[in-house]
Amino acid sequence: ETIKWSNDSTLVLVGLFKRGVVEIKQVQKPTWICRINEGLAGISYAYFAPDSRSVITICNNNLKMSIWSLVNKSISQIQNPKFCKKGVSFTSNGHFMALAIKTTPNDSIGVYFLGDWSELVKFPTKCKDLSDVKWSYDNSTILVSDTPLVCALYIYTPTGELLNEIVPYEYKLG
């Protein structure tokens, strides 16, 4: 259902999501295959992390995000990502990840260090229904967008401090 190149173009990811399987193949060694199987949890989406040596899978119903290391075969997990294909952004240097997380009453942002996938900070947002998250080009701030019905953007520091909110209009329904 999907084919993705690693950032260094040495690996190819093949997603067989209906079977709950992802295969990674090495371009230079066609006989080498890594197979990831999430079992009953299934896989709704998969992609490479910026280091090209970790594969990220999102299980069905977005219950967890699994990070599979192709180097040391370790597995890290993050519970309750909000989306499978969006709501995640990496810094331009590939050291940190911002992730939209389902929490009540408001959605949260988790900031993770990609060296060991540890959570550095998790903070709630002002969003009514968070729709996406993006790092700034200089990696100093995180832009969080609310649902199109609310039409609001929030700018946070990586530590969770709200710097600014942009609300062009209110109560216009999109």
Side-chain angles (χ1 to χ4, degrees):
E1 290 148 66
T2 191
I3 297 174
K4 302 236 181 244
W5 281 101
S6 62
N7 289 339
D8 63 4
S9 299
T10 61
L11 302 170
V12 176
L13 179 145
V14 179
L16 307 165
F17 302 143
K18 290 179 184 169
R19 295 184 192 168
V21 174
V22 171
E23 288 186 353
I24 296 90
K25 300 185 182 214
Q26 193 170 27
V27 175
Q28 299 298 325
K29 298 178 186 171
T31 57
W32 182 87
I33 296 175
C34 171
R35 182 171 287 196
I36 296 171
N37 187 341
E38 278 279 9
L40 294 175
I43 298 174
S44 60
Y45 199 64
Y47 51 94
F48 284 103
D51 68 357
S52 298
R53 294 300 172 260
S54 299
V55 174
I56 299 171
T57 61
I58 310 292
C59 78
N60 292 337
N61 300 318
N62 299 346
L63 295 176
K64 67 178 177 173
M65 169 187 274
S66 299
I67 301 96
W68 307 78
S69 172
L70 301 176
V71 177
N72 63 14
K73 300 180 183 176
S74 66
I75 303 169
S76 301
Q77 293 186 335
I78 301 170
Q79 301 301 315
N80 300 317
K82 180 151 182 167
F83 305 105
C84 68
K85 292 186 181 181
K86 62 180 186 174
V88 62
S89 182
F90 299 97
T91 55
S92 59
N93 61 14
H95 293 167
F96 301 97
M97 173 180 76
L99 177 68
I101 299 172
K102 292 183 289 192
T103 54
T104 54
N106 293 22
D107 297 323
S108 297
I109 300 295
V111 177
Y112 298 86
F113 173 60
L114 274 55
D116 60 1
W117 295 95
S118 59
E119 181 180 271
L120 300 177
V121 67
K122 183 193 246 178
F123 57 89
T125 65
K126 285 186 72 174
C127 295
K128 301 277 188 250
D129 186 15
L130 189 152
S131 68
D132 209 356
V133 63
K134 298 285 182 205
W135 281 96
S136 63
Y137 288 111
D138 65 356
N139 305 325
S140 65
T141 56
I142 301 169
L143 178 71
V144 179
S145 60
D146 210 332
T147 178
L149 292 175
V150 174
C151 191
L153 299 171
Y154 304 98
I155 301 171
Y156 290 93
T157 65
T159 58
E161 177 187 350
L162 179 63
L163 295 177
N164 198 354
E165 56 186 91
I166 303 164
V167 184
Y169 53 81
E170 292 186 70
Y171 310 114
K172 301 282 184 172
L173 296 176

